[in-house]
Amino acid sequence: MYQQQPPTGIMPYYPPPPPLASNQPLPSNPIVVIAPHFCAPYPVDLTISKKTLSITEGNFGVFDINGNNILKVKGTLLSIRDRRVLVDAAGVPLVSLQQKIFTCHRRWQVYRGDSSDSKNLLFSVKKSKLLQIKTKLHVFLASNTTEEVCDFKIKGSYYERSCVICHGDSKNIIAQMDKKHTVKSIVLGKDTYSITVYPNVDYAFIVALCVVLNEINMDRKDED
């Protein structure tokens, strides 16, 4: 209807959608974890598709509403920590994600850029409980050293691709995941789902959380 292509090197243009319903909460301040230019003043709809034919595990493509591949997740072969790197459309590393070894709660740590240095740690994600029926993950920013209260929370049913991400230990939703059965999802493969990121929320951060969510919920029963 109205398609505007961004200039080279500029983030994709998202036409403003209709206003959110009155019952949908909005963050009072921008939620920035990776970078402020990933925040938009309106909802951002993304499609995440796992590349099932890739020889490297953990490869994903992230597409905007116009089908542009705006983010990519690259896996690492023969990695004991299941390392992943989130890059932008130009291939520039944004964050690296890796599983922490020797931990009971399947914790993943996320670092700025292509790094694993503790000084570049941005946040970590872990199961709230060792054994779970429903998905429930706690997210702790690097500055939250005590981890008494989580900074973000993921809950729902991952296997049904129906999860929400909340701000803090609250019910204030900042993003939600849904499995949508469309022609496009059938073509792209079964590991395709949609993410709606609320206004003023860092959508690269949300994508990173979804990648960790996928990794934690992979069928690894013997390792739990």
Side-chain angles (χ1 to χ4, degrees):
M1 189 164 61
Y2 36 71
Q3 303 287 334
Q4 178 176 333
Q5 296 300 323
T8 303
I10 304 299
M11 293 304 296
Y13 170 78
Y14 292 93
L20 287 171
S22 59
N23 62 345
Q24 291 181 288
L26 296 174
S28 56
N29 297 305
I31 295 176
V32 180
V33 177
I34 294 178
H37 64 268
F38 293 117
C39 292
Y42 38 77
V44 174
D45 291 319
L46 302 172
T47 299
I48 299 181
S49 177
K50 186 173 183 179
K51 299 178 181 178
T52 54
L53 297 180
S54 172
I55 62 172
T56 304
E57 289 295 327
N59 283 6
F60 294 83
V62 182
F63 303 87
D64 65 12
I65 57 175
N66 296 321
N68 299 312
N69 192 177
I70 60 172
L71 297 171
K72 299 176 183 178
V73 179
K74 297 182 178 180
T76 302
L77 285 170
L78 304 177
S79 171
I80 190 174
R81 295 174 182 265
D82 294 331
R83 193 168 185 270
R84 310 284 181 253
V85 180
L86 176 65
V87 303
D88 64 15
V92 177
L94 300 174
V95 293
S96 58
L97 312 88
Q98 65 183 36
Q99 183 175 192
K100 185 176 182 180
I101 57 176
F102 307 122
T103 179
C104 295
H105 285 71
R106 191 71 63 78
R107 181 186 287 259
W108 278 68
Q109 295 170 309
V110 181
Y111 301 85
R112 186 173 301 282
D114 190 1
S115 170
S116 58
D117 192 317
S118 59
K119 68 181 181 181
N120 291 321
L121 180 66
L122 287 177
F123 61 92
S124 62
V125 186
K126 74 178 186 69
K127 286 184 175 182
S128 62
K129 295 181 180 179
L130 183 59
L131 299 177
Q132 295 184 345
I133 298 176
K134 290 287 188 178
T135 298
K136 190 173 182 181
L137 308 179
H138 286 169
V139 182
F140 301 96
L141 297 177
S143 58
N144 185 357
T145 56
T146 62
E147 297 190 354
E148 293 180 358
V149 179
C150 61
D151 296 288
F152 301 92
K153 180 172 56 181
I154 306 171
K155 60 182 182 179
S157 173
Y158 173 78
Y159 293 105
E160 296 175 1
R161 297 299 194 273
S162 179
C163 292
V164 295
I165 300 173
C166 299
H167 191 196
D169 191 17
S170 71
K171 296 182 180 179
N172 295 328
I173 298 173
I174 61 171
Q176 56 188 28
M177 171 197 297
D178 292 297
K179 176 69 175 180
K180 294 185 178 179
H181 299 282
T182 64
V183 173
K184 184 176 181 180
S185 69
I186 293 173
V187 172
L188 290 175
K190 64 179 182 179
D191 289 325
T192 299
Y193 49 93
S194 299
I195 305 294
T196 297
V197 184
Y198 282 29
N200 301 319
V201 176
D202 184 336
Y203 63 82
F205 167 59
I206 299 300
V207 169
L209 290 182
C210 290
V211 174
V212 173
L213 174 63
N214 177 80
E215 296 298 331
I216 287 179
N217 284 280
M218 286 178 67
D219 187 16
R220 298 175 181 177
K221 296 178 182 178
D222 292 338
E223 298 182 13
D224 282 337

